[in-house]
Amino acid sequence: MSAAATAGTWKLGDLEVNRIGYGAMRLTGNGMMGNSDGTPIDRDTAVGLLHSAFEHGVNHIDTASFYFSPLRSANELINRALSTWHRDVVVVTKVGPARDPSGEWATAARPDQLRGQVEENLRQLGRDHLDVVNLRCNDPNTATIAEHFGALAELRQAGLIRHLGLSNVGPKHVTEALTIAPVVCVQNHYSLEWRRADELGLVDLCRERGIAFVPYFAVSGLRREAAAVQEHDARVHSVARAHNATSAQVRLAWTLHRGPHVLAIPGTTNPAHLAENVAAGGLRLTEEELAVLGEPVSPATSPRTQG
């Protein structure tokens, strides 16, 4: 059994993936916001890191065409890595947010512009169809997603997309989307410190509907895409010491313990951290330890939801 398979598997439609995946955003630098951009690793190193993830059993990669920096495109790196890898890897991308070629954020795509975004992902990834496309909402409080999701459903019918998902949404959006087309995953911010998806009943709704819930920022929490810092949560330290584990592993294990439909997509450019993240799938927390981790630390304000 591969390391990534120790947490079990889940199906995104008919595509079975190990519950520990990999988020590709950090391959372009440290993040996408102006206050967290960092120097990206070189291309050969990035491709080698992706191959290492695949060798560990990671077969679920999260990306987007708007994951790019002046020097790197996540999709281009994934394309290069997959061109010399001959086993199945499910690539999940997202559309909705828009950036111009210089990297400046633009107005989110209209429904009639989503085909262009899908085709851009196809070109960058070198594919004839996309495994999974998430409709990413800039504002989780948006009234309706029907037109946008309907446009993606048409592209699914046309064969450009195999399965559809949602990102940065609420329960009402999931319910609305399901009246239009099947939803295989929901990707939202979720961590020990940020459990809005629990408060809204979104994690449980996904479980009831057989939909994968895929948290982002599960390790970084309220720091979001900022650079890693020393762990200050005493609860996490306590559990980590008991297992001789890292704080990141405890955070990922807690995430996976939320339910068999919950996946993880931690991103890193450090090979040692990659191995640790994948190994977190085998970390089993006791009921007492889950109780120690307890209630979330309530943030003073809601963090921004660009991710």
Side-chain angles (χ1 to χ4, degrees):
M1 176 184 293
S2 67
T6 57
T9 63
W10 188 263
K11 282 191 173 182
L12 301 175
D14 63 341
L15 303 172
E16 187 169 13
V17 298
N18 292 322
R19 291 176 65 209
I20 290 279
Y22 178 82
M25 183 178 67
R26 292 189 184 277
L27 290 178
T28 67
N30 193 51
M32 295 187 302
M33 308 302 285
N35 64 354
S36 65
D37 286 343
T39 303
I41 58 177
D42 67 54
R43 283 181 169 80
D44 289 342
T45 301
V47 170
L49 187 78
L50 287 167
H51 281 165
S52 179
F54 302 155
E55 289 162 0
H56 283 302
V58 170
N59 58 3
H60 167 207
I61 301 292
D62 174 76
T63 186
S65 63
F66 52 84
Y67 286 175
F68 69 87
S69 67
L71 297 177
R72 300 287 183 271
S73 157
N75 279 357
E76 179 254 331
L77 293 169
I78 292 167
N79 186 346
R80 286 187 57 179
L82 290 176
S83 69
T84 52
W85 184 261
H86 304 296
R87 279 176 268 172
D88 290 338
V89 175
V90 174
V91 178
V92 179
T93 189
K94 57 189 77 68
V95 295
R99 296 173 77 189
D100 66 26
S102 68
E104 294 298 318
W105 288 100
T107 302
R110 302 186 309 267
D112 63 303
Q113 295 175 317
L114 290 177
R115 184 182 184 110
Q117 290 194 338
V118 166
E119 291 174 346
E120 180 65 14
N121 277 281
L122 289 168
R123 284 189 292 270
Q124 292 177 0
L125 291 165
R127 296 194 161 195
D128 296 322
H129 75 274
L130 300 173
D131 295 329
V132 183
V133 173
N134 289 332
L135 174 63
R136 165 78 183 183
C137 293
N138 278 1
D139 181 0
N141 297 312
T142 190
T144 178
I145 61 168
E147 285 190 62
H148 286 79
F149 196 74
L152 291 181
E154 291 177 3
L155 296 178
R156 176 175 172 266
Q157 289 291 336
L160 297 183
I161 302 170
R162 191 162 182 172
H163 297 295
L164 297 175
L166 298 168
S167 179
N168 197 35
V169 296
K172 69 177 183 180
H173 302 119
V174 178
T175 302
E176 181 181 38
L178 286 170
T179 67
I180 299 170
V183 175
V184 302
C185 58
V186 171
Q187 189 184 94
N188 271 39
H189 185 185
Y190 184 70
S191 67
L192 274 170
E193 294 90 352
W194 187 253
R195 305 190 197 180
R196 182 66 173 156
D198 278 334
E199 297 167 9
L200 295 173
L202 183 59
V203 181
D204 289 335
L205 173 64
C206 287
R207 174 182 52 78
E208 293 162 4
R209 297 299 185 96
I211 298 169
F213 182 74
V214 189
Y216 55 82
F217 301 139
V219 173
S220 59
L222 299 182
R223 299 194 309 276
R224 299 173 61 77
E225 58 184 20
V229 297
Q230 183 178 354
E231 176 66 63
H232 293 295
D233 193 320
R235 304 169 303 170
V236 176
H237 275 302
S238 173
V239 176
R241 283 194 299 270
H243 290 272
N244 193 28
T246 68
S247 60
Q249 287 177 314
V250 170
R251 288 174 173 275
L252 288 170
W254 177 86
T255 301
L256 293 170
H257 274 70
R258 186 60 182 81
H261 67 301
V262 178
L263 312 185
I265 49 170
T268 183
T269 58
N270 184 311
H273 291 167
L274 171 65
E276 290 171 356
N277 290 344
V278 174
L283 183 59
R284 301 291 182 259
L285 304 181
T286 67
E287 291 297 326
E288 292 77 13
E289 288 167 339
L290 292 171
V292 164
L293 295 173
E295 295 301 315
V297 176
S298 299
T301 59
S302 171
R304 289 190 296 167
T305 54
Q306 186 70 56

